Amino acid sequence: MRLEEYWGVGPKTRETLVDELGRERAIRAIESGDVRALADAGLARGRATRILRRATGGAGMDLLSTSDARSAYKELLDLAVEHAVTQRAADRIRVLTPLDSRAAMEDRLDDVLAARDAWVGLTEADRAAVLEAYERYDEREGSEHAAVEAAMALLQAGVDSGPFAAIADLERERLADAADALAALDGGRVRAGADDELDRLRDALGAVEDMDANALAVIEDLRSAGVHDAEEFRQSFEDHLLTETDVTIDRVRDAMPTDATDATDFVGGALRTLRSDLTSAVDEREQAVATDLEETLETARDAIDRAVETVDDIALHLSLARFALEYDCTRPVFVDGDAAAVSVVDARNLALAAHDDESVQPVTYALGDHGVTDVPDGVDSVPGEERVAVLTGANSGGKTTLLETLCQVVLLATMGLPVPADRAEVTPVDSLVFHRRHASFNAGVLESTLRSIVPPLSTGGRTLMLVDEFEAITEPGSAADLLHGLVTLSVDREALGVFVTHLADDLEPLPPEARVDGIFAEGLNPDLELLVDYQPRFDTVGRSTPEFIVSRLVANASDRTERDGFETLAEAVGNEVVQRTLADARWTNGE
């Protein structure tokens, strides 16, 4: 395959990759999703990630039909990356994409949940040992040596259940030999400490080189010690070499010149010969040691490759397991065949949970052929089996958050990952249309929005529509007509969908296959903050709550003139309601 055939690889990128990696290695890096290799070759990390997502999961990326769907996908990856145990695992998480087969989703879920259960089952000491092993792995930049050392550390820790079971299958003795060999080699050179004889020769060469650089001082020292005739000088110089350089006496004597004209010529000649002799000896010894080490690595190659793969796979699944544990995620149930559903029981929005988990109100919601039979207190009925719903209700009532939560659940499930709900049912879809509220009131925005959200409904396949306040991009009358058309089109194409709007009354009559759900504000608390029950009520139109907002403005007015203005608005929305709201808040406060 030519490099240019991969998405995002043009002539310039191809040239960069070939120059730095070579064609075959570049292709292997792309096929294996190796972000680091592409980044080290000179590609920006973000560009490398985008190329690899398309190369390894192009069909899954096609599911993301809108820019908001792609943004939600990236936000999920960012949250998951925070729990990565290595940089390599973080890179692999960043290139995860929605999967295009139920079997692949189930397989990844099996791996992640097995890792979660295994991690929970470890003692604190074992978990610390695993994280320490991966911390050292990262410090060594994920090299083969780092991977083998991490594998040895995991073997030493004795973790061998679930996804860690692959560690127990590694060849401990062969890996130990490989670890020593990898530690000894550095780019083909033999490191200090790997071989005693090589270290001795290197030390001797270094001492001779130092002596050669100070030959005149050596001669002066010998003369100052009372050495005068040639034979005595020769013997003293020999003793000095043996004492200071750890060179063998035979090598010293072989280096002594026989035709030197004076002491300077004698010392210089001897040192030059010793340098040359020791340099050859060092090179010869290093070559022999390196050959032995490389033979050890060649013998252990399969064991090394398995260790690298095992350590990386465990790191990925452990990272995803830690993410699932952080947000108390569970396995989704897939609904296939003619049935279609998206349902959640006590689902949590991850973006909110990441900031303050205690303040997140879980919600229950369902579309299609779901199995939700219990609803929270205060909700009069279970959701019907309509596949399309119009969601109405209070400002700041969590409607957008519910759309985001459903989007997160569907994305995670189709990526083969646990979801933030006590229970969830998901039908894998071919197109995810997620449209956040965009307050840009012009024809260009309307046209581009329609171009992004209508085609997925028209091209066949299963579509999930999550559309937030479509009316914000055009005038209310036209918005109601267009939104009604979108709801009708979604019903006709048997899509699943939730449409958030304040125009529920203007959409009547909706198709009988669609329902209206509502979220309600319940008043103001003593601090005049809006109290909202974020749990939707089914087959019930929610209402906006301007009287609560105006009540707060009246109460918080800083001067009489400002208060008069807000009281005029209170008359418009119903002054009696405003006054009752304020009285209820004061009564609750004990005033």
mmCIF file of all heavy atoms in Angstrom, residues 25 34 36 40 86-88 133-151 178-179 182-183 185-187 191 301 304-305 307-309 311-312:
data_model
loop_
_atom_site.group_PDB
_atom_site.id
_atom_site.type_symbol
_atom_site.label_atom_id
_atom_site.label_comp_id
_atom_site.label_asym_id
_atom_site.label_seq_id
_atom_site.Cartn_x
_atom_site.Cartn_y
_atom_site.Cartn_z
ATOM 1 N N ARG A 25 8.633 1.015 7.615
ATOM 2 C CA ARG A 25 8.441 1.323 9.035
ATOM 3 C C ARG A 25 7.316 2.343 9.217
ATOM 4 O O ARG A 25 6.542 2.270 10.183
ATOM 5 C CB ARG A 25 9.739 1.860 9.633
ATOM 6 C CG ARG A 25 9.668 2.048 11.141
ATOM 7 C CD ARG A 25 10.958 2.580 11.706
ATOM 8 N NE ARG A 25 10.786 3.017 13.075
ATOM 9 C CZ ARG A 25 11.580 3.885 13.684
ATOM 10 N NH1 ARG A 25 12.621 4.401 13.039
ATOM 11 N NH2 ARG A 25 11.362 4.244 14.927
ATOM 12 N N ASP A 34 0.785 3.900 16.006
ATOM 13 C CA ASP A 34 1.919 4.358 16.817
ATOM 14 C C ASP A 34 2.086 5.868 16.693
ATOM 15 O O ASP A 34 2.792 6.379 15.822
ATOM 16 C CB ASP A 34 3.190 3.647 16.359
ATOM 17 C CG ASP A 34 4.346 3.833 17.334
ATOM 18 O OD1 ASP A 34 4.277 4.766 18.154
ATOM 19 O OD2 ASP A 34 5.304 3.044 17.279
ATOM 20 N N ARG A 36 3.615 7.897 18.716
ATOM 21 C CA ARG A 36 4.964 8.367 19.057
ATOM 22 C C ARG A 36 5.898 8.290 17.861
ATOM 23 O O ARG A 36 6.677 9.220 17.621
ATOM 24 C CB ARG A 36 5.527 7.546 20.212
ATOM 25 C CG ARG A 36 6.961 7.934 20.586
ATOM 26 C CD ARG A 36 7.441 7.179 21.789
ATOM 27 N NE ARG A 36 6.690 7.558 22.968
ATOM 28 C CZ ARG A 36 6.843 6.962 24.154
ATOM 29 N NH1 ARG A 36 7.698 5.972 24.293
ATOM 30 N NH2 ARG A 36 6.132 7.359 25.194
ATOM 31 N N ASP A 40 7.739 11.480 16.500
ATOM 32 C CA ASP A 40 9.199 11.537 16.484
ATOM 33 C C ASP A 40 9.735 11.782 15.076
ATOM 34 O O ASP A 40 10.828 12.333 14.901
ATOM 35 C CB ASP A 40 9.791 10.236 17.039
ATOM 36 C CG ASP A 40 9.590 10.089 18.542
ATOM 37 O OD1 ASP A 40 9.232 11.095 19.177
ATOM 38 O OD2 ASP A 40 9.774 8.972 19.062
ATOM 39 N N THR A 86 0.477 5.162 31.187
ATOM 40 C CA THR A 86 1.695 5.467 30.437
ATOM 41 C C THR A 86 1.351 6.438 29.312
ATOM 42 O O THR A 86 0.193 6.564 28.911
ATOM 43 C CB THR A 86 2.314 4.203 29.792
ATOM 44 O OG1 THR A 86 1.415 3.687 28.799
ATOM 45 C CG2 THR A 86 2.616 3.138 30.820
ATOM 46 N N GLN A 87 2.377 7.102 28.790
ATOM 47 C CA GLN A 87 2.176 7.975 27.645
ATOM 48 C C GLN A 87 1.749 7.181 26.424
ATOM 49 O O GLN A 87 0.930 7.626 25.624
ATOM 50 C CB GLN A 87 3.454 8.759 27.333
ATOM 51 C CG GLN A 87 3.326 9.737 26.165
ATOM 52 C CD GLN A 87 2.247 10.763 26.389
ATOM 53 O OE1 GLN A 87 2.223 11.438 27.418
ATOM 54 N NE2 GLN A 87 1.340 10.904 25.436
ATOM 55 N N ARG A 88 2.315 5.993 26.266
ATOM 56 C CA ARG A 88 1.931 5.132 25.154
ATOM 57 C C ARG A 88 0.455 4.767 25.248
ATOM 58 O O ARG A 88 -0.272 4.769 24.252
ATOM 59 C CB ARG A 88 2.799 3.872 25.157
ATOM 60 C CG ARG A 88 2.327 2.728 24.281
ATOM 61 C CD ARG A 88 2.476 2.998 22.815
ATOM 62 N NE ARG A 88 2.166 1.805 22.031
ATOM 63 C CZ ARG A 88 1.768 1.813 20.780
ATOM 64 N NH1 ARG A 88 1.633 2.976 20.147
ATOM 65 N NH2 ARG A 88 1.507 0.703 20.135
ATOM 66 N N ALA A 133 5.851 0.232 38.254
ATOM 67 C CA ALA A 133 6.464 -0.395 37.074
ATOM 68 C C ALA A 133 6.178 0.434 35.826
ATOM 69 O O ALA A 133 7.069 0.655 34.993
ATOM 70 C CB ALA A 133 5.935 -1.814 36.902
ATOM 71 N N TYR A 134 4.959 0.908 35.695
ATOM 72 C CA TYR A 134 4.611 1.700 34.519
ATOM 73 C C TYR A 134 5.197 3.117 34.589
ATOM 74 O O TYR A 134 5.478 3.724 33.553
ATOM 75 C CB TYR A 134 3.095 1.751 34.353
ATOM 76 C CG TYR A 134 2.569 0.521 33.635
ATOM 77 C CD1 TYR A 134 1.678 -0.348 34.249
ATOM 78 C CD2 TYR A 134 2.992 0.225 32.344
ATOM 79 C CE1 TYR A 134 1.214 -1.483 33.591
ATOM 80 C CE2 TYR A 134 2.541 -0.906 31.680
ATOM 81 C CZ TYR A 134 1.654 -1.755 32.308
ATOM 82 O OH TYR A 134 1.210 -2.874 31.643
ATOM 83 N N GLU A 135 5.398 3.621 35.783
ATOM 84 C CA GLU A 135 6.064 4.926 35.912
ATOM 85 C C GLU A 135 7.508 4.829 35.418
ATOM 86 O O GLU A 135 7.994 5.711 34.690
ATOM 87 C CB GLU A 135 6.022 5.378 37.372
ATOM 88 C CG GLU A 135 6.609 6.767 37.585
ATOM 89 C CD GLU A 135 6.512 7.226 39.034
ATOM 90 O OE1 GLU A 135 5.764 6.588 39.811
ATOM 91 O OE2 GLU A 135 7.175 8.215 39.387
ATOM 92 N N ARG A 136 8.207 3.754 35.787
ATOM 93 C CA ARG A 136 9.574 3.562 35.298
ATOM 94 C C ARG A 136 9.575 3.352 33.778
ATOM 95 O O ARG A 136 10.484 3.786 33.082
ATOM 96 C CB ARG A 136 10.231 2.369 36.008
ATOM 97 C CG ARG A 136 10.546 2.628 37.474
ATOM 98 C CD ARG A 136 11.551 1.611 37.995
ATOM 99 N NE ARG A 136 11.055 0.243 37.875
ATOM 100 C CZ ARG A 136 10.342 -0.378 38.805
ATOM 101 N NH1 ARG A 136 10.039 0.241 39.930
ATOM 102 N NH2 ARG A 136 9.940 -1.625 38.614
ATOM 103 N N TYR A 137 8.561 2.647 33.286
ATOM 104 C CA TYR A 137 8.407 2.434 31.837
ATOM 105 C C TYR A 137 8.357 3.784 31.120
ATOM 106 O O TYR A 137 9.014 3.986 30.097
ATOM 107 C CB TYR A 137 7.124 1.637 31.604
ATOM 108 C CG TYR A 137 6.706 1.460 30.162
ATOM 109 C CD1 TYR A 137 7.092 0.347 29.441
ATOM 110 C CD2 TYR A 137 5.883 2.385 29.534
ATOM 111 C CE1 TYR A 137 6.688 0.155 28.120
ATOM 112 C CE2 TYR A 137 5.474 2.216 28.223
ATOM 113 C CZ TYR A 137 5.875 1.091 27.526
ATOM 114 O OH TYR A 137 5.472 0.920 26.234
ATOM 115 N N ASP A 138 7.569 4.702 31.651
ATOM 116 C CA ASP A 138 7.456 6.024 31.026
ATOM 117 C C ASP A 138 8.755 6.808 31.130
ATOM 118 O O ASP A 138 9.129 7.536 30.211
ATOM 119 C CB ASP A 138 6.322 6.825 31.679
ATOM 120 C CG ASP A 138 5.118 6.943 30.754
ATOM 121 O OD1 ASP A 138 5.112 6.284 29.700
ATOM 122 O OD2 ASP A 138 4.190 7.694 31.090
ATOM 123 N N GLU A 139 9.449 6.664 32.276
ATOM 124 C CA GLU A 139 10.705 7.391 32.455
ATOM 125 C C GLU A 139 11.727 6.980 31.409
ATOM 126 O O GLU A 139 12.587 7.767 31.016
ATOM 127 C CB GLU A 139 11.255 7.135 33.862
ATOM 128 C CG GLU A 139 10.449 7.817 34.965
ATOM 129 C CD GLU A 139 10.883 7.374 36.350
ATOM 130 O OE1 GLU A 139 11.731 6.445 36.441
ATOM 131 O OE2 GLU A 139 10.388 7.942 37.342
ATOM 132 N N ARG A 140 11.630 5.728 30.941
ATOM 133 C CA ARG A 140 12.546 5.230 29.904
ATOM 134 C C ARG A 140 11.926 5.339 28.513
ATOM 135 O O ARG A 140 12.369 4.691 27.574
ATOM 136 C CB ARG A 140 12.925 3.782 30.210
ATOM 137 C CG ARG A 140 13.702 3.654 31.520
ATOM 138 C CD ARG A 140 14.025 2.208 31.821
ATOM 139 N NE ARG A 140 14.751 2.079 33.070
ATOM 140 C CZ ARG A 140 15.136 0.911 33.596
ATOM 141 N NH1 ARG A 140 14.857 -0.205 32.963
ATOM 142 N NH2 ARG A 140 15.796 0.879 34.739
ATOM 143 N N GLU A 141 10.874 6.141 28.416
ATOM 144 C CA GLU A 141 10.249 6.497 27.136
ATOM 145 C C GLU A 141 9.729 5.280 26.378
ATOM 146 O O GLU A 141 9.740 5.239 25.139
ATOM 147 C CB GLU A 141 11.221 7.298 26.262
ATOM 148 C CG GLU A 141 11.644 8.603 26.921
ATOM 149 C CD GLU A 141 12.551 9.428 26.027
ATOM 150 O OE1 GLU A 141 13.080 8.874 25.034
ATOM 151 O OE2 GLU A 141 12.705 10.621 26.307
ATOM 152 N N GLY A 142 9.245 4.286 27.102
ATOM 153 C CA GLY A 142 8.579 3.164 26.470
ATOM 154 C C GLY A 142 9.450 2.340 25.547
ATOM 155 O O GLY A 142 8.957 1.707 24.607
ATOM 156 N N SER A 143 10.757 2.292 25.787
ATOM 157 C CA SER A 143 11.666 1.512 24.950
ATOM 158 C C SER A 143 11.445 0.015 25.176
ATOM 159 O O SER A 143 10.736 -0.399 26.098
ATOM 160 C CB SER A 143 13.117 1.858 25.286
ATOM 161 O OG SER A 143 13.405 1.500 26.636
ATOM 162 N N GLU A 144 12.081 -0.805 24.325
ATOM 163 C CA GLU A 144 12.016 -2.257 24.539
ATOM 164 C C GLU A 144 12.543 -2.618 25.924
ATOM 165 O O GLU A 144 11.977 -3.458 26.621
ATOM 166 C CB GLU A 144 12.828 -2.992 23.465
ATOM 167 C CG GLU A 144 12.098 -3.198 22.157
ATOM 168 C CD GLU A 144 12.844 -4.175 21.252
ATOM 169 O OE1 GLU A 144 14.035 -4.460 21.524
ATOM 170 O OE2 GLU A 144 12.232 -4.660 20.284
ATOM 171 N N HIS A 145 13.645 -1.984 26.297
ATOM 172 C CA HIS A 145 14.210 -2.253 27.619
ATOM 173 C C HIS A 145 13.203 -1.898 28.708
ATOM 174 O O HIS A 145 13.002 -2.658 29.672
ATOM 175 C CB HIS A 145 15.498 -1.446 27.806
ATOM 176 C CG HIS A 145 16.191 -1.721 29.104
ATOM 177 N ND1 HIS A 145 16.995 -0.789 29.723
ATOM 178 C CD2 HIS A 145 16.194 -2.815 29.910
ATOM 179 C CE1 HIS A 145 17.466 -1.306 30.838
ATOM 180 N NE2 HIS A 145 17.004 -2.529 30.978
ATOM 181 N N ALA A 146 12.527 -0.751 28.545
ATOM 182 C CA ALA A 146 11.533 -0.334 29.529
ATOM 183 C C ALA A 146 10.395 -1.342 29.606
ATOM 184 O O ALA A 146 9.909 -1.675 30.696
ATOM 185 C CB ALA A 146 10.997 1.051 29.167
ATOM 186 N N ALA A 147 9.949 -1.846 28.439
ATOM 187 C CA ALA A 147 8.851 -2.808 28.414
ATOM 188 C C ALA A 147 9.247 -4.114 29.094
ATOM 189 O O ALA A 147 8.461 -4.691 29.864
ATOM 190 C CB ALA A 147 8.411 -3.061 26.972
ATOM 191 N N VAL A 148 10.468 -4.596 28.812
ATOM 192 C CA VAL A 148 10.922 -5.844 29.430
ATOM 193 C C VAL A 148 11.056 -5.674 30.939
ATOM 194 O O VAL A 148 10.659 -6.547 31.727
ATOM 195 C CB VAL A 148 12.245 -6.312 28.796
ATOM 196 C CG1 VAL A 148 12.841 -7.472 29.593
ATOM 197 C CG2 VAL A 148 12.022 -6.717 27.348
ATOM 198 N N GLU A 149 11.600 -4.536 31.370
ATOM 199 C CA GLU A 149 11.725 -4.271 32.810
ATOM 200 C C GLU A 149 10.346 -4.207 33.455
ATOM 201 O O GLU A 149 10.146 -4.700 34.575
ATOM 202 C CB GLU A 149 12.485 -2.960 33.033
ATOM 203 C CG GLU A 149 13.970 -3.022 32.697
ATOM 204 C CD GLU A 149 14.766 -3.772 33.757
ATOM 205 O OE1 GLU A 149 14.185 -4.178 34.769
ATOM 206 O OE2 GLU A 149 15.978 -3.964 33.556
ATOM 207 N N ALA A 150 9.369 -3.580 32.756
ATOM 208 C CA ALA A 150 8.014 -3.505 33.302
ATOM 209 C C ALA A 150 7.408 -4.897 33.417
ATOM 210 O O ALA A 150 6.754 -5.227 34.415
ATOM 211 C CB ALA A 150 7.139 -2.619 32.421
ATOM 212 N N ALA A 151 7.638 -5.725 32.401
ATOM 213 C CA ALA A 151 7.140 -7.098 32.455
ATOM 214 C C ALA A 151 7.753 -7.857 33.635
ATOM 215 O O ALA A 151 7.055 -8.593 34.346
ATOM 216 C CB ALA A 151 7.449 -7.823 31.147
ATOM 217 N N ALA A 178 17.360 -11.075 28.480
ATOM 218 C CA ALA A 178 17.129 -9.979 27.538
ATOM 219 C C ALA A 178 17.243 -8.624 28.236
ATOM 220 O O ALA A 178 17.794 -7.670 27.665
ATOM 221 C CB ALA A 178 15.747 -10.117 26.896
ATOM 222 N N ALA A 179 16.750 -8.541 29.460
ATOM 223 C CA ALA A 179 16.827 -7.280 30.202
ATOM 224 C C ALA A 179 18.285 -6.884 30.422
ATOM 225 O O ALA A 179 18.659 -5.713 30.266
ATOM 226 C CB ALA A 179 16.102 -7.401 31.540
ATOM 227 N N LEU A 182 19.677 -5.768 26.978
ATOM 228 C CA LEU A 182 19.160 -4.452 26.583
ATOM 229 C C LEU A 182 19.768 -3.356 27.444
ATOM 230 O O LEU A 182 20.033 -2.248 26.964
ATOM 231 C CB LEU A 182 17.632 -4.442 26.698
ATOM 232 C CG LEU A 182 16.890 -5.271 25.635
ATOM 233 C CD1 LEU A 182 15.436 -5.475 26.040
ATOM 234 C CD2 LEU A 182 16.972 -4.582 24.270
ATOM 235 N N ALA A 183 19.991 -3.663 28.720
ATOM 236 C CA ALA A 183 20.607 -2.676 29.605
ATOM 237 C C ALA A 183 22.051 -2.421 29.219
ATOM 238 O O ALA A 183 22.581 -1.321 29.424
ATOM 239 C CB ALA A 183 20.529 -3.150 31.059
ATOM 240 N N LEU A 185 23.380 -2.581 26.090
ATOM 241 C CA LEU A 185 23.567 -1.990 24.768
ATOM 242 C C LEU A 185 22.921 -0.618 24.683
ATOM 243 O O LEU A 185 21.830 -0.385 25.202
ATOM 244 C CB LEU A 185 22.972 -2.896 23.693
ATOM 245 C CG LEU A 185 23.740 -4.186 23.390
ATOM 246 C CD1 LEU A 185 22.921 -5.075 22.467
ATOM 247 C CD2 LEU A 185 25.100 -3.866 22.763
ATOM 248 N N ASP A 186 23.606 0.262 23.991
ATOM 249 C CA ASP A 186 23.080 1.615 23.774
ATOM 250 C C ASP A 186 23.415 2.023 22.354
ATOM 251 O O ASP A 186 24.526 2.489 22.074
ATOM 252 C CB ASP A 186 23.693 2.599 24.775
ATOM 253 C CG ASP A 186 23.147 4.014 24.591
ATOM 254 O OD1 ASP A 186 22.135 4.175 23.889
ATOM 255 O OD2 ASP A 186 23.750 4.957 25.152
ATOM 256 N N GLY A 187 22.459 1.821 21.441
ATOM 257 C CA GLY A 187 22.701 2.174 20.050
ATOM 258 C C GLY A 187 23.843 1.404 19.431
ATOM 259 O O GLY A 187 24.599 1.945 18.616
ATOM 260 N N ARG A 191 27.478 -0.469 27.066
ATOM 261 C CA ARG A 191 27.544 0.473 28.183
ATOM 262 C C ARG A 191 28.577 0.029 29.218
ATOM 263 O O ARG A 191 28.906 -1.153 29.332
ATOM 264 C CB ARG A 191 26.185 0.583 28.864
ATOM 265 C CG ARG A 191 25.116 1.303 28.059
ATOM 266 C CD ARG A 191 23.909 1.567 28.953
ATOM 267 N NE ARG A 191 22.894 2.340 28.265
ATOM 268 C CZ ARG A 191 21.818 1.819 27.669
ATOM 269 N NH1 ARG A 191 21.665 0.499 27.676
ATOM 270 N NH2 ARG A 191 20.929 2.584 27.084
ATOM 271 N N ARG A 301 14.122 -12.816 21.049
ATOM 272 C CA ARG A 301 13.303 -11.860 20.289
ATOM 273 C C ARG A 301 11.813 -12.107 20.472
ATOM 274 O O ARG A 301 11.046 -11.166 20.719
ATOM 275 C CB ARG A 301 13.695 -11.932 18.810
ATOM 276 C CG ARG A 301 12.862 -11.090 17.835
ATOM 277 C CD ARG A 301 12.600 -9.679 18.315
ATOM 278 N NE ARG A 301 13.815 -8.969 18.703
ATOM 279 C CZ ARG A 301 13.801 -7.823 19.382
ATOM 280 N NH1 ARG A 301 12.652 -7.295 19.780
ATOM 281 N NH2 ARG A 301 14.933 -7.229 19.693
ATOM 282 N N ILE A 304 10.760 -11.014 23.892
ATOM 283 C CA ILE A 304 10.763 -9.552 24.003
ATOM 284 C C ILE A 304 9.525 -8.972 23.342
ATOM 285 O O ILE A 304 8.832 -8.115 23.909
ATOM 286 C CB ILE A 304 12.038 -8.963 23.368
ATOM 287 C CG1 ILE A 304 13.272 -9.371 24.169
ATOM 288 C CG2 ILE A 304 11.945 -7.439 23.287
ATOM 289 C CD1 ILE A 304 14.585 -9.042 23.475
ATOM 290 N N ASP A 305 9.234 -9.432 22.117
ATOM 291 C CA ASP A 305 8.076 -8.911 21.395
ATOM 292 C C ASP A 305 6.786 -9.182 22.154
ATOM 293 O O ASP A 305 5.893 -8.320 22.215
ATOM 294 C CB ASP A 305 7.999 -9.526 19.999
ATOM 295 C CG ASP A 305 9.118 -9.034 19.082
ATOM 296 O OD1 ASP A 305 9.740 -8.004 19.410
ATOM 297 O OD2 ASP A 305 9.363 -9.683 18.044
ATOM 298 N N ALA A 307 6.535 -9.536 25.376
ATOM 299 C CA ALA A 307 6.543 -8.673 26.560
ATOM 300 C C ALA A 307 6.111 -7.253 26.199
ATOM 301 O O ALA A 307 5.313 -6.632 26.916
ATOM 302 C CB ALA A 307 7.930 -8.659 27.194
ATOM 303 N N VAL A 308 6.634 -6.716 25.092
ATOM 304 C CA VAL A 308 6.271 -5.363 24.654
ATOM 305 C C VAL A 308 4.773 -5.281 24.399
ATOM 306 O O VAL A 308 4.081 -4.361 24.864
ATOM 307 C CB VAL A 308 7.057 -4.979 23.388
ATOM 308 C CG1 VAL A 308 6.504 -3.680 22.789
ATOM 309 C CG2 VAL A 308 8.538 -4.822 23.701
ATOM 310 N N GLU A 309 4.246 -6.259 23.660
ATOM 311 C CA GLU A 309 2.815 -6.262 23.332
ATOM 312 C C GLU A 309 1.963 -6.421 24.584
ATOM 313 O O GLU A 309 0.953 -5.718 24.761
ATOM 314 C CB GLU A 309 2.521 -7.393 22.345
ATOM 315 C CG GLU A 309 1.058 -7.459 21.916
ATOM 316 C CD GLU A 309 0.800 -8.588 20.929
ATOM 317 O OE1 GLU A 309 1.752 -9.329 20.578
ATOM 318 O OE2 GLU A 309 -0.367 -8.733 20.508
ATOM 319 N N VAL A 311 2.742 -5.789 27.788
ATOM 320 C CA VAL A 311 2.833 -4.621 28.672
ATOM 321 C C VAL A 311 1.996 -3.472 28.126
ATOM 322 O O VAL A 311 1.287 -2.782 28.877
ATOM 323 C CB VAL A 311 4.311 -4.203 28.841
ATOM 324 C CG1 VAL A 311 4.416 -2.809 29.446
ATOM 325 C CG2 VAL A 311 5.034 -5.214 29.723
ATOM 326 N N ASP A 312 2.048 -3.253 26.812
ATOM 327 C CA ASP A 312 1.265 -2.170 26.208
ATOM 328 C C ASP A 312 -0.230 -2.452 26.283
ATOM 329 O O ASP A 312 -1.028 -1.549 26.567
ATOM 330 C CB ASP A 312 1.681 -1.961 24.752
ATOM 331 C CG ASP A 312 2.883 -1.049 24.619
ATOM 332 O OD1 ASP A 312 3.257 -0.420 25.621
ATOM 333 O OD2 ASP A 312 3.448 -0.964 23.517
#
